[in-house]
Amino acid sequence: MQPTDIDRIRRFHRTVTRETGVMDQSFLSRGRPLGAARVLNAIGRGMEDVGAIRDYLGLDSGLMSRLLRSLEDEGLVETHPAPQDARRRVARLTHEGRAEFEAYEDLSNTRAQRLLDHHPNRADLLAAMDLIASALGQHAVEFVEADPRDPTSVWCLSEYFAELSRRFERGFEVHLSRDPEATDMIAPKGAFFVAMSDGLPIGCGGLKGHDGTWGEVKRLWVSPAARGLKLATRLMEVIEARARDLGMGVLRLDTNSQLPEAVAMYRRLGWTEIERFNDDPYPDVFFEKRL
């Protein structure tokens, strides 16, 4: 019979649970199930607040307590009241816990590398994984205010510029664009946001300040793997909220008619098309929105 869409999704779920060891009582042969290993991993990656770890992993309070207790009994984790709020608890790895975390990291990295080495098309495999991870994690995306000059921000901007170069008929060279100074997108003058999905960047957007009275939305980009999930709309909402916080009454932006999905989104979000307001050689469509 011809497989249905539901059949294909369920096959994917079965394969992932088998290959990632969800059913194993000893995940990666380290002597504890996946749940305890995931809690250990979250703490090892810098998460300390027990409530935040519970929410991140989607666990109920009872199961979270049991998993933490098992790790404490092994001498891998210590928990203490939070310094600023004794009602909350924080968890930290012991020396032994750090060694166990590193052992899991080595095993997981080796397994991931083996999968890549045995697939004939690495790029397509990774693109498919990014697409699925973005779809499954769309409700857990965090919008982090960042310095537009830091490595993660620069990577996002490089991806954005590369896409413009591919899509514009005459290409795109950033040195010809009236690129805003990075300091114009740093508080208190402006802001820059990176959309993070479980530790990895999948989008960005900037707010360039102009004399404190109006702002300009710049460098709005969403990874191809995360498109169609309303992430650009959410980025725009975050940027508009920050503009209000900074006392801006008007926002403007420019775009290019060769990006029809962007033009359509701005119109849908209530932006009004206006006359050209800059001398940048690339944009040919200009918008304004009063806050």
Side-chain angles (χ1 to χ4, degrees):
M1 70 174 185
Q2 180 177 346
T4 68
D5 292 347
I6 298 299
D7 292 333
R8 294 165 67 186
I9 290 174
R10 294 192 61 189
R11 183 197 68 150
F12 170 79
H13 288 166
R14 291 192 298 270
T15 303
V16 169
T17 54
R18 181 185 69 240
E19 296 301 321
T20 56
V22 171
M23 305 302 294
D24 296 345
Q25 288 302 305
S26 180
F27 178 63
L28 293 179
S29 301
R30 298 299 298 175
R32 62 192 62 82
L34 177 63
R38 286 298 311 274
V39 172
L40 188 77
N41 176 267
I43 300 170
R45 289 170 54 203
M47 299 184 72
E48 293 188 344
D49 185 89
V50 171
I53 297 171
R54 183 185 65 237
D55 293 342
Y56 166 65
L57 295 176
L59 304 174
D60 62 48
S61 297
L63 180 55
M64 181 67 188
S65 296
R66 291 193 294 275
L67 293 173
L68 268 180
R69 192 178 308 116
S70 70
L71 294 171
E72 289 180 296
D73 291 344
E74 288 189 73
L76 304 179
V77 170
E78 294 177 343
T79 59
H80 308 279
Q84 288 79 29
D85 187 353
R87 295 170 299 177
R88 302 185 69 83
R89 296 188 67 78
V90 294
R92 298 186 178 93
L93 298 184
T94 63
H95 177 75
E96 293 79 7
R98 176 58 57 179
E100 192 66 14
F101 169 78
E102 296 295 344
Y104 272 122
E105 290 291 280
D106 289 342
L107 288 167
S108 295
N109 288 343
T110 298
R111 178 177 282 196
Q113 188 63 55
R114 186 167 60 244
L115 177 60
L116 289 173
D117 291 343
H118 287 81
H119 197 279
N121 196 324
R122 178 181 183 137
D124 283 353
L125 175 64
L126 291 171
M129 289 182 169
D130 287 342
L131 182 68
I132 294 167
S134 296
L136 293 178
Q138 61 183 291
H139 302 300
V141 173
E142 295 182 286
F143 300 95
V144 180
E145 190 164 353
D147 189 318
R149 300 165 296 185
D150 74 23
T152 299
S153 302
V154 170
W155 180 84
C156 290
L157 291 170
S158 297
E159 292 292 301
Y160 170 72
F161 297 144
E163 178 163 356
L164 295 186
S165 183
R166 291 191 300 269
R167 296 186 64 176
F168 288 177
E169 290 181 359
R170 57 192 177 114
F172 179 85
E173 295 183 43
V174 66
H175 71 277
L176 297 178
S177 172
R178 304 298 185 264
D179 195 39
E181 293 294 329
T183 52
D184 290 339
M185 295 191 291
I186 299 175
K189 191 169 186 179
F192 190 83
F193 294 93
V194 177
M196 300 293 292
S197 174
D198 205 356
L200 296 183
I202 59 171
C204 68
L207 172 64
K208 177 184 178 181
H210 288 269
D211 302 323
T213 59
W214 66 283
E216 188 176 355
V217 177
K218 303 293 294 185
R219 308 317 185 204
L220 188 72
W221 171 79
V222 172
S223 165
R227 291 178 188 170
L229 303 177
K230 304 297 184 183
L231 187 60
T233 298
R234 294 166 66 187
L235 269 166
M236 290 294 290
E237 291 171 350
V238 170
I239 291 170
E240 288 183 23
R242 192 73 176 96
R244 291 187 182 93
D245 291 342
L246 293 174
M248 298 176 184
V250 176
L251 285 180
R252 292 175 181 161
L253 61 83
D254 60 44
T255 188
N256 190 287
S257 54
Q258 293 176 52
L259 304 173
E261 65 275 33
V263 174
M265 181 188 71
Y266 298 136
R267 287 173 175 155
R268 186 178 70 252
L269 294 180
W271 288 69
T272 301
E273 195 165 342
I274 60 173
E275 295 296 320
R276 173 181 285 273
F277 62 85
N278 61 36
D279 60 354
D280 192 305
Y282 289 107
D284 58 8
V285 185
F286 301 83
F287 286 97
E288 182 178 272
K289 186 173 185 178
R290 297 192 175 274
L291 302 180

